[in-house]
Amino acid sequence: MKSLDGLKVKVKSLGCRTNIYEAEAIADSFRKKGAVIVDDGDFDVGILVSCAVTGTAEKKCRQAIRHMKKESPKSMAILCGCYVQAKPDAELLSLGADICVGNRLKADLPRLVEGVIKGELKSPLVMKLDVLRHEKWDPLELSKVNFHTRSFVKIQDGCDLFCSYCIVPYLRGRPVSRDLRDVIAEVEGLVDQGCQEVVLTGVHLGLYGKGHDFDLADLVGALSKVKGLRRLRFGSIEPLALNDKLLVALAESEIFCPHLHVPLQSGDARILKLMNRGYSPVEFASIISNVRRYLGDDVHVSTDIIVGFPGEDEAAFASTLNFIRDLGIGRLHVFPFSPRKGTRAYDMPGRLQKCEIANRVNRALEEGGKLLQRYASIWMNRKVDVLIERCKGSKLLGLSRHYLETEIDWDAKGNLPERNYKGLECKVCVAEARHGILYGALSDIKDLLSERGV
């Protein structure tokens, strides 16, 4: 009999891909102890993996933990992650959580829950590390595939670059890396269960291996040899991490998908300097040019920008939009500046009014829609490889290797046989691109049927 047999546990995450991985790994750690992971209905333990990167994220965390308490009033409520790291104990306890656990301690959650249930620990309980002083790797791991076509794998945590607007180093701590052999073993286990695609995640992926005798390029090379793994992606990669060694490894990998999400934040030299990003627009453009030299002109480069940073005038904002347009960016993520107490940008002069920031966000999103459609259009009348994720009526839906949503017609009559095609990679003839989504038909239906044994 396992120590948490039959305990019903619900796990929810807010924020980044790293949080998504941690939520899945936390659920897995409880499952190994005999708990039952639930999505709906009553539960005995509710766990929220929190985010505090912006004020809006913090508000969502407060709402989510209160909603969790209302969903199942008699349950044990657990708040973990960045919000816990950011807030004083009194404020955390006011939310009504029974256990609050900061970063790099999430692997302890099953033990803590068991201790409270047995009366060995008293709640409410708050546990935090000084993450700026402790270089501890939180030994979470994932052994069960939750999304059979794709799985996130966390390989890195922390950052020491201290961009002037960013609270993350204070919440996640300094850079730490997961052992290369542990990453390979986890990926092999996921592939054995049917996982087709792995997305490597971390707070600053490019710092993977810092202080060790391996780096991200070494890991890419090793994972490219894992039998049965068909696709490898990065969640996000900072521009200065894209050195020649890494780009060579990506170019030589047969499974790396040619999409890189490379955060820019601003296309204006003055604002970038205030942000302490460590590069200029000219240097960023040179990096992207080098990416295309190694990975080809068709590589999909997506990015983030922060709108409304203190001192950003209309000219600086226009420079950013012109820069990403000229650079051939595909997907664009837009974030309004969120002042975070404790960062240098918090006290900078020239803070914009919320209405002006909202206006610029909308303009940037409109430009982003045009950029994505422009990039998607280059695939018209070409064949793309698509990993099928689900069926919808007479359509197959999936992602191309270049990270574009794709909708596939089964045949001229629109008839889709009642079979499971999830996890199958097939070639699609693209006939149309609308709003950044590709539409087309299977290149060869016989190949699809034969691979499924039909």
Side-chain angles (χ1 to χ4, degrees), residues 398-435:
L399 280 177
S400 75
R401 290 176 60 83
H402 292 76
Y403 203 66
L404 290 174
E405 296 176 52
T406 307
E407 185 171 299
I408 309 160
D409 281 322
W410 171 254
D411 61 22
K413 298 178 181 178
N415 297 318
L416 184 66
E418 292 295 328
R419 299 183 181 93
N420 179 24
Y421 296 100
K422 187 176 181 180
L424 177 73
E425 191 170 45
C426 59
K427 284 196 178 295
V428 175
C429 298
V430 178
E432 190 177 2
R434 298 196 310 271
H435 306 295

Side-chain angles (χ1 to χ4, degrees), residues 104-108 129 134-139 157 176:
R104 305 196 183 180
L105 291 171
K106 300 182 188 80
D108 291 336
L129 285 176
H134 289 78
E135 295 184 0
K136 176 181 182 291
W137 177 259
D138 200 3
D157 206 345
V176 290

Side-chain angles (χ1 to χ4, degrees), residues 193-214:
Q193 292 190 60
C195 177
Q196 303 286 304
E197 180 178 308
V198 162
V199 184
L200 301 180
T201 71
V203 172
H204 190 319
L205 210 59
L207 295 179
Y208 177 74
K210 184 177 182 180
H212 298 272
D213 60 355
F214 54 80

Side-chain angles (χ1 to χ4, degrees), residues 328-340:
I329 293 297
R331 196 178 302 273
L332 176 65
H333 295 215
V334 182
F335 299 93
F337 170 72
S338 179
R340 313 307 292 144

Side-chain angles (χ1 to χ4, degrees), residues 1 14 59 61 72-74 90 99 106 125 127 144 168 181 193 229 318 323 328 337 355 371 379 386 400 441:
M1 183 175 178
L14 295 173
K59 181 179 179 181
C61 287
S72 192
K74 295 181 180 180
I99 299 176
K106 300 182 188 80
L125 174 67
M127 290 183 63
K144 181 178 174 60
V168 169
R181 292 166 296 183
Q193 292 190 60
L229 182 61
F323 182 74
F337 170 72
C355 59
L371 293 173
W379 297 100
V386 177
S400 75

Side-chain angles (χ1 to χ4, degrees), residues 305 316-326 332 363-364 367:
I305 60 170
F317 175 66
S319 291
T320 296
L321 295 189
N322 290 333
F323 182 74
I324 59 176
R325 189 184 303 117
D326 293 343
L332 176 65
R363 288 162 60 191
E367 182 65 32

Side-chain angles (χ1 to χ4, degrees), residues 210-402:
K210 184 177 182 180
H212 298 272
D213 60 355
F214 54 80
D215 59 18
L216 189 56
D218 297 325
L219 180 60
V220 168
L223 293 180
S224 297
K225 298 174 184 176
V226 172
K227 188 177 180 180
L229 182 61
R230 303 180 77 158
R231 291 184 171 193
L232 180 66
R233 295 189 190 276
F234 292 164
S236 179
I237 184 84
E238 290 291 334
L240 295 177
L242 290 165
N243 55 48
D244 286 346
K245 181 183 177 183
L246 177 57
L247 290 172
V248 166
L250 300 181
E252 291 179 348
S253 172
E254 294 182 358
I255 64 171
F256 183 77
C257 294
H259 164 250
L260 290 170
H261 185 78
V262 190
L264 167 65
Q265 308 308 6
S266 176
D268 181 81
R270 178 177 59 86
I271 297 300
L272 272 180
K273 189 171 183 179
L274 288 173
M275 288 180 167
N276 193 38
R277 290 291 290 168
Y279 54 82
S280 67
V282 171
E283 289 166 331
F284 187 93
S286 177
I287 290 167
I288 301 306
S289 176
N290 204 35
V291 166
R292 292 186 170 122
R293 183 166 70 88
Y294 279 102
L295 302 182
D297 290 336
D298 287 341
V299 63
H300 182 187
V301 179
S302 58
T303 197
D304 299 334
I305 60 170
I306 294 173
V307 170
F309 188 84
E312 181 194 66
D313 55 18
E314 178 61 30
F317 175 66
S319 291
T320 296
L321 295 189
N322 290 333
F323 182 74
I324 59 176
R325 189 184 303 117
D326 293 343
L327 205 57
I329 293 297
R331 196 178 302 273
L332 176 65
H333 295 215
V334 182
F335 299 93
F337 170 72
S338 179
R340 313 307 292 144
K341 194 171 184 179
T343 65
R344 278 179 285 168
Y346 185 80
D347 296 316
M348 283 184 180
R351 192 179 292 185
L352 278 69
Q353 296 292 322
K354 289 184 177 180
C355 59
E356 179 59 30
I357 294 176
N359 174 269
R360 291 184 186 177
V361 166
N362 289 334
R363 288 162 60 191
L365 289 172
E366 182 179 357
E367 182 65 32
K370 295 176 182 176
L371 293 173
L372 181 60
Q373 175 60 22
R374 182 178 70 177
Y375 176 73
S377 295
I378 73 172
W379 297 100
M380 288 177 58
N381 302 315
R382 297 169 67 180
K383 292 182 180 180
V384 298
D385 292 316
V386 177
L387 187 64
I388 297 172
E389 297 193 327
R390 60 193 175 97
C391 301
K392 181 182 178 182
S394 62
K395 310 289 184 182
L396 297 169
L397 307 180
L399 280 177
S400 75
R401 290 176 60 83
H402 292 76

Side-chain angles (χ1 to χ4, degrees), residues 171-189:
L171 306 181
R172 284 279 183 175
R174 296 187 182 276
V176 290
S177 299
R178 190 175 182 182
D179 186 82
L180 186 144
R181 292 166 296 183
D182 290 345
V183 177
I184 295 170
E186 179 165 300
V187 170
E188 288 175 339

